[in-house]
């Protein structure tokens, strides 16, 4: 059933009963638009194929083609409510995929129950079971271990840089500049072909923090932070002369320091 105004078809070989049900529906469900009112199952199928109403109220006993036969051709493409003078047809109605059945004469309270069921079916469907299970499995899956090393080209050499030796990372277009300390403890830089955003997702969040759109810092390399104007700050590093900017959006990282 669509999320727009609901539509319905009524099929009954008795014109007075069709009109009576239409009036009852107008009171019980004012938003419902009756788009077709037909005399038998064959007309019901034809009008359904042309108009595709959301709901089909089908009388069980109609000349030519019964409501049950018409429901079989509609084949669950609409919500079917059988209307019958005999409640013994209820089991057969549900076997045909009917949402509900109404016994003539239709009682207003019973019709309200049917309308409530139809409205409930109009609510957006929630996530299916497979989606929920996949989501839960994702939550239970242990996170990937944080990177211990970065592979970077330094001149003609390929270096394995321990993440604990990194002071900060700075975005450089599609690449990332890695500021680290070499074996002799001196500052060094290398370029890796991985965007900063992808690297950040693989680093230990307890050790590395983004402090600017283009900068991620190793918190263990921070000496102190000086607040500036307009909710900004500047990071001073323990073993480097350069400073790093902290933008307003990331100042919370240091509020507890």
């Amino acid at each position: 059933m669509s999320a727009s105004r609901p539509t319905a078809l009524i099929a009954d070989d008795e014109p007075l009963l069709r009109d009576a049900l239409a009036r009852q529906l107008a009171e019980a469900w004012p938003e419902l638009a009756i788009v077709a009112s037909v005399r038998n199952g064959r007309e019901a199928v034809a009008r359904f194929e042309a108009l595709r109403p959301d709901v089909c109220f089908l009388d069980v006993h109609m000349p030519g083609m019964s409501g049950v036969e018409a429901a079989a051709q509609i084949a669950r493409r609409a919500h079917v409510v059988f209307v019958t003078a005999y409640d013994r047809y209820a089991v057969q109605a549900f076997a045909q995929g009917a949402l509900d059945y109404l016994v003539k004469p239709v009682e207003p309270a019973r019709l309200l129950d049917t309308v409530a069921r139809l409205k409930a079916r109009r609510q957006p469907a929630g996530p299916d079971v497979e989606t929920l299970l996949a989501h839960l499995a994702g939550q239970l899956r242990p996170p990937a271990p944080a990177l211990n090393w970065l592979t970077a080209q330094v001149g003609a050499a390929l270096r394995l840089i321990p993440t604990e030796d990194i002071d900060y990372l700075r975005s450089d277009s599609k690449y990332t500049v890695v500021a680290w300390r070499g074996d002799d403890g001196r500052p060094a830089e290398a370029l890796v072909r991985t965007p900063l955003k992808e690297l950040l997702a693989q680093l230990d969040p307890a050790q590395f923090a983004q402090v600017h759109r283009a900068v991620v810092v190793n918190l263990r390399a921070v000496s102190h932070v000086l607040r500036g104007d307009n909710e900004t700050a500047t990071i001073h590093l323990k073993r480097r002369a350069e400073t790093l900017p902290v933008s307003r959006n990331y100042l919370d990282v240091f509020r507890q320091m």
Side-chain angles (χ1 to χ4, degrees):
M1 193 179 293
S2 67
S4 57
R5 186 181 181 187
T7 56
L9 172 153
I10 297 175
D12 196 308
D13 60 332
E14 293 289 341
L16 293 179
L17 295 180
R18 293 200 304 268
D19 294 342
L21 181 56
R23 287 195 299 271
Q24 286 182 287
L25 284 169
E27 293 183 4
W29 197 357
E31 302 84 11
L32 184 70
I34 307 300
V35 295
S37 182
V38 299
R39 300 169 298 176
N40 55 55
R42 198 173 307 282
E43 290 182 359
V45 173
R47 297 304 290 163
F48 170 78
E49 296 295 349
L51 301 172
R52 296 300 177 98
D54 300 308
V55 189
C56 294
F57 293 91
L58 304 177
D59 182 21
V60 171
H61 289 287
M62 291 184 289
M65 179 185 289
S66 71
V68 175
E69 293 170 320
Q73 295 202 22
I74 291 171
R76 302 175 189 268
R77 289 176 290 168
H79 297 307
V80 171
V81 177
F82 283 123
V83 185
T84 176
Y86 308 99
D87 58 5
R88 66 175 181 271
Y89 290 105
V91 173
Q92 187 177 6
F94 289 116
Q96 292 292 334
L99 173 75
D100 206 349
Y101 75 99
L102 296 167
V103 177
K104 299 177 183 177
V106 178
E107 297 180 357
R110 183 67 181 84
L111 182 59
L112 284 174
D113 290 341
T114 299
V115 168
R117 292 190 190 193
L118 290 165
K119 288 182 176 179
R121 292 292 182 93
R122 284 177 56 80
Q123 299 301 316
D128 57 41
V129 174
E130 290 77 9
T131 301
L132 288 173
L133 290 175
H135 178 68
L136 289 173
Q139 289 186 323
L140 294 173
R141 191 178 302 123
L147 285 179
N148 291 320
W149 305 83
L150 289 186
T151 303
Q153 192 80 30
V154 181
L158 187 65
R159 293 293 303 262
L160 293 177
I161 303 174
T163 54
E164 62 185 14
D165 291 343
I166 295 173
D167 289 327
Y168 65 90
L169 302 104
R170 187 179 69 249
S171 177
D172 182 16
S173 187
K174 297 181 180 178
Y175 306 121
T176 301
V177 174
V178 182
W180 56 293
R181 283 164 282 106
D183 299 335
D184 55 2
R186 294 182 178 179
E189 289 191 354
L191 196 67
V192 297
R193 297 177 180 273
T194 304
L196 181 64
K197 184 177 180 180
E198 292 185 23
L199 280 177
L200 179 61
Q202 301 175 69
L203 295 171
D204 182 358
Q207 184 176 357
F208 289 89
Q210 186 162 18
V211 295
H212 185 275
R213 178 177 54 83
V215 179
V216 170
V217 69
N218 183 347
L219 295 172
R220 296 171 184 168
V222 174
S223 168
H224 59 281
V225 180
L226 291 180
R227 291 183 179 277
D229 298 331
N230 197 25
E231 292 293 307
T232 61
T234 302
I235 294 176
H236 292 254
L237 301 167
K238 293 177 181 176
R239 300 173 182 172
R240 287 179 174 271
E242 66 264 40
T243 58
L244 304 176
V246 181
S247 60
R248 181 188 306 176
N249 293 338
Y250 300 99
L251 197 58
D252 285 345
V253 174
F254 301 103
R255 288 194 188 281
Q256 303 302 320
M257 293 183 175

